[in-house]
Amino acid sequence: MLRMVRFLTECILVGFMLVCCGLPLSYGQTVGGPGAPTNLRCEYLTDPLGVDSPQPRFSWVLAHSQRGEKQAAYQVLVATEPDGLAHDRGDQWDSGKVPSEEFSQVVYGGKALGSGRNYYWKVRYWDNEGKNSDYSRPGRFGMGLLSREEWKGSWIGGGSANGNEFRKEFTVTGKVTAARVYITALGYYELRINGRKISQNVLDPGWTTYPQRVLYSTYDITSNLRQGANAVAVMLGGGWALQAANLPAYYPSPAFLLQMNAELEGGRQVSVVSDGAWKTILGPVIADGIYDGEVYDGRRETTGWDTPGFADSPWSAAQVVEGSAGIRSSQMMPPIRVVDTLVPVRLTSPSPAVYVFDMGQNMSGWARLRVRGAAGTKVTLRYAEELDAKGMINRDTLGSAKSRDIYFLRGDGVENYEARFTYHGFRYVEVTGFPGTPSLDTLRGRVVHTAVNTVGSFLASKEILNDIQKIIRWSQLTNLFSVPTDCDQRNERQGWLGDAQATAEEAMLNFDMAAFYTNYIRDIADAQRADGALPSTVPRKYGDFPGDLGWETAYISLCWHMWEQYGDRRILEQQEAGLKKYAAFLNSQATGNLIHNRLGHEGDWVELEHTPHDYIQNAWYYHDVETLARIEQVLGNSPDAVSYGQLAQGIREALNRSFFHPDTGEYANGTQAANAMALGLDLVPQDRRNAVADHLTNDILYYHNTHVTTGFIGVKFLMPALTAAGHSDLAYDLAVQTTFPSWGYMVSKGATTLWELWQDKSGPAMNSHDHIMFGSVGAWFYQALAGINQGAGGAGYRHIRIQPHIMEDLDWTSATVETIRGTVTSSWTHFPGAVALHVAIPVGSDARVVIPKLPGMSDIVVEESGRVIWEKDHFISGASGITQAIQENHSIAIDVGSGDYSFRLTSQ
Ligand code: BGC
């Protein structure tokens, strides 16, 4: 009876956890056999426009009512017209029935795709039993401008008029059947047609090394054009093109390049391009900069400037400029958008006529002001992460960034203003110069960042873990601005490669990063020097060149993560030559298999105890060469895999000779970072692993009272290394620690985003309150606590390993990740004498589910959905989807196919 009651309680708990994660209990299940594929994507994006790969890749997700199912074959149809597709005609590509288990990274194999054309596609699949699904709902994709010659216009800028508003009128003499605009800028643009802003993208295009490459966006403007007179208008801001950082700005003034192509009924074509015939004027944005913010004079607004018939005779001719000679690539990643609007939680007036709004959250973006007053009234919004003791904003963490927006009122009633060409990192906004007394409704916080989709959720029964997960999410998102940045507030906001590599796995488990990192890896390759060296920031505006190896490693590490998480072989193929060049550069710096020159200066950045750089850089050297060997293996290039493997082995031996102290079982000077890196990178001779692990755990427990001493490089290795060495309980204690230094300490001090330093500091020195680099622990939440991992030999979650680490004082954990192949879930709870685990494995994948025995458990019985599958040390076959079970260390390892499983492990 007692067992029954417990079982019911567990079912309710696991069910509750699933609901918390937003998952229907029967996710992915359909009535009777294979369900139509869903989540159709082309080059990782849903219905993208501007695909510029001649052979784009498709992916979809499968559904099936039964367990243990996979795709035996698929058929993709690509059509030039939706009607054809509706009649199952793939006039562009009919793949036929392709026997294949692949449903991500499926390469287009039809007729050549036409520049600027739209295509429609759908897919069906056959299951194990040869039963076919229905076709999916149609997806679509549009091609970009595939050749440089198709850009007919010129780069134009504001010339001596200092113009930042541009306009051009044109006539359309027929009904528009299709129209597209392609636009890029050196700086930021806002595109308007016939009085309306085109798309919700902001801060577009993404930041690149503009002289080498610019990104263009593609918009469908068929419904924006009309027969007769039309107007196209562009506002320009300086963005990163004009922002000096440690290196000078790229350009003296912004410019843009536009190509509009319309098709009229009867097949006639109309084109409008950027050229010297456009008119320009200095509009209401009278100054703008990433760091300093925007100054906007509402009195300079001119109604109708973006509509036809506007009298633009006082405007000057736009100037044709040289612009960028770089490659024009389509911006194939999610755009930057306003993704949320926060209502302030508090309004105070710490000094007369000074008002401070608290958004309740450190965020990236800007404030939207609502105001009424006399023309010319100047309202200043100043942003800050902190308050001082008197409740005034404290801007010490902003460095030299002015971070303010200034608005001069038009004076014609209620006015709404928000910045366009800048962004700030802030929790507080100080308003001065406000006419009258503001209320909470005066301001809204506009949350802005690259609009990546959430793919992961992690919840646990201990609030501190959820709080940390929450601030990781915020820190990650607020540091995605077309490139992964270090911080969002001070005069930096750079693509520091170390920060990017350390947090990539966390980012990929929480968000859909596939397209974002695909773009960023190309940016890194663009920044590579002829000798193979890489800088520490990309695009390069700061830092050493060559960068510290923990920063340079981002190139190889991100490529590897793309393979692991998404099964992306193409990116490995594309980058192989660059990666080898990078390895050759490292080799050129080495003698006797070790690099003795100090490359870069970071080491274990923001560490509490110093670890010698010489050791850290060589540990990275080993990591990079060893990863390259694995990449060559994936690519089937065995001779290179062998030679990089041998080189890696040589580096490992040299590292052990120079830095390992076999007598004491420690590396370098024995810091946590030194030993964690050695364990994490598998440098340690097998028979010494326990000794090194003991050294590490002793240091944490006895010398530092369960606290970390590492910087952000060391901590990335620390948590997985402890876990792999059998000390997940200690890693957990670090994760839930709340005294200094710890993640929980930040939470206890009210942090809503992660800090740059473990220390709680305020003052003008380096101490941003929104840095993502300590966020690597987020990956450990999914991989160790929830136990969601790639299986042996797996990439892209083809083979999965679910191995949760059950903590005595943690009642339950629940995580789900929408992987490239579908939903993976792991939710567990435990009671005295029982572990309950719910697992979901996508159709087309298999998993080894490793359920740990709790201390003191013996005579194990495992049930799945109430049916016994393990008893008296034996697997009992017969349960659908379960192929075998074995003892694995202190666990029962169960091999399953796709489906939902509810396991319960008890001792008899
Ligand atoms: C950045 C870091 C970066 C470091 C490296 C700092 O200023 O904010 O996140 O990785 O410099 O030098």
Side-chain angles (χ1 to χ4, degrees), residues 448-681:
V448 180
H449 50 72
T450 294
V452 287
N453 287 331
T454 292
V455 296
S457 76
F458 170 85
L459 266 181
S461 56
K462 227 182 172 78
E463 243 357 89
I464 191 70
L465 293 171
N466 300 334
D467 289 341
I468 296 169
Q469 162 71 1
K470 190 171 165 205
I471 68 174
I472 290 173
R473 277 181 54 92
W474 270 101
S475 311
Q476 185 60 69
L477 289 171
T478 53
N479 278 300
L480 297 179
F481 276 83
S482 80
V483 306
T485 61
D486 58 335
C487 61
D488 61 354
Q489 74 297 84
R490 68 176 176 228
N491 55 318
E492 200 158 351
R493 313 184 203 184
Q494 296 294 306
W496 285 99
L497 293 180
D499 309 40
Q501 65 86 1
T503 53
E505 270 189 301
E506 164 275 310
M508 288 166 146
L509 289 163
N510 280 312
F511 305 105
D512 181 358
M513 301 298 294
F516 184 90
Y517 285 138
T518 301
N519 180 76
Y520 193 56
I521 288 168
R522 190 176 58 189
D523 287 350
I524 298 176
D526 282 352
Q528 187 171 33
R529 219 163 59 179
D531 65 356
L534 294 161
S536 41
T537 60
V538 171
R540 181 156 190 258
K541 278 268 157 199
Y542 250 91
D544 303 314
F545 201 157
D548 187 289
L549 260 77
W551 277 243
E552 289 189 271
T553 187
Y555 187 24
I556 212 157
S557 294
L558 289 182
C559 285
W560 182 252
H561 291 316
M562 286 295 293
W563 165 251
E564 270 199 322
Q565 291 292 321
Y566 307 116
D568 194 330
R569 191 191 154 89
R570 181 180 279 183
I571 208 153
L572 302 184
E573 284 163 3
Q574 286 172 341
Q575 301 303 334
E576 187 191 10
L579 294 175
K580 283 175 149 179
K581 212 161 75 166
Y582 167 63
F585 166 72
L586 296 186
N587 297 341
S588 75
Q589 304 297 301
T591 42
N593 282 335
L594 289 182
I595 298 175
H596 299 287
N597 289 340
R598 185 161 150 196
L599 299 175
H601 69 280
E602 280 84 2
D604 187 17
W605 189 247
V606 296
E607 65 206 347
L608 297 172
E609 276 189 2
H610 180 65
T611 304
H613 288 197
D614 210 23
Y615 165 69
I616 297 183
Q617 77 172 0
N618 281 296
W620 281 119
Y621 180 30
Y622 168 74
H623 167 270
D624 289 353
V625 173
E626 200 271 331
T627 307
L628 186 51
R630 277 185 280 150
I631 289 175
E632 294 298 351
Q633 206 164 4
V634 170
L635 294 177
N637 187 351
S638 319
D640 281 344
V642 170
S643 66
Y644 286 119
Q646 284 166 348
L647 175 58
Q649 197 48 35
I651 301 169
R652 185 173 184 260
E653 283 161 15
L655 264 161
N656 280 330
R657 271 196 306 275
S658 295
F659 297 101
F660 183 45
H661 309 292
D663 44 335
T664 56
E666 61 187 328
Y667 276 77
N669 59 344
T671 55
Q672 292 176 15
N675 289 327
M677 273 190 104
L679 286 168
L681 292 173

Side-chain angles (χ1 to χ4, degrees), residues 665-856:
E666 61 187 328
Y667 276 77
N669 59 344
T671 55
Q672 292 176 15
N675 289 327
M677 273 190 104
L679 286 168
L681 292 173
D682 203 12
L683 297 176
V684 190
Q686 197 54 39
D687 59 339
R688 305 297 290 147
R689 285 186 71 85
N690 285 344
V692 177
D694 286 349
H695 207 94
L696 178 61
T697 53
N698 286 345
D699 186 89
I700 297 170
L701 273 171
Y702 305 116
Y703 292 97
H704 295 97
N705 197 17
T706 316
H707 290 95
V708 297
T709 61
T710 70
F712 85 88
I713 296 292
V715 89
K716 175 184 154 64
F717 290 96
L718 184 66
M719 303 297 276
L722 284 172
T723 306
H727 300 287
S728 55
D729 47 348
L730 184 55
Y732 171 75
D733 289 344
L734 292 174
V736 297
Q737 179 61 272
T738 53
T739 53
F740 171 80
S742 62
W743 295 276
Y745 176 66
M746 300 187 199
V747 171
S748 77
K749 293 285 171 183
T752 56
T753 43
L754 292 166
W755 302 336
E756 176 174 26
L757 304 177
W758 292 116
Q759 293 91 339
D760 180 20
K761 272 197 184 161
S762 68
M766 184 188 108
N767 62 52
S768 131
H769 280 49
D770 188 357
H771 249 65
I772 181 54
M773 60 194 187
F774 284 131
S776 55
V777 69
W780 184 83
F781 290 172
Y782 286 94
Q783 294 170 337
L785 281 184
I788 298 176
N789 294 282
Q790 306 280 348
Y797 296 93
R798 170 74 184 82
H799 306 293
I800 296 165
R801 184 176 177 92
I802 303 283
Q803 184 174 15
H805 288 264
I806 293 183
M807 300 297 147
E808 208 182 322
D809 76 332
L810 189 61
D811 291 341
W812 57 266
T813 285
S814 182
T816 188
V817 182
E818 302 293 336
T819 73
I820 186 91
R821 295 176 82 87
T823 307
V824 179
T825 295
S826 167
S827 301
W828 56 259
T829 182
H830 65 98
F831 298 89
V835 176
L837 172 67
H838 177 90
V839 166
I841 304 300
V843 179
S845 293
D846 50 49
R848 169 157 285 196
V849 180
V850 184
I851 314 179
K853 299 178 205 168
L854 299 180

Side-chain angles (χ1 to χ4, degrees), residues 174-175 177 263-269:
K175 188 170 181 296
T177 54
E263 254 175 50
L264 308 186
E265 218 165 44
R268 262 181 314 132
Q269 313 271 335

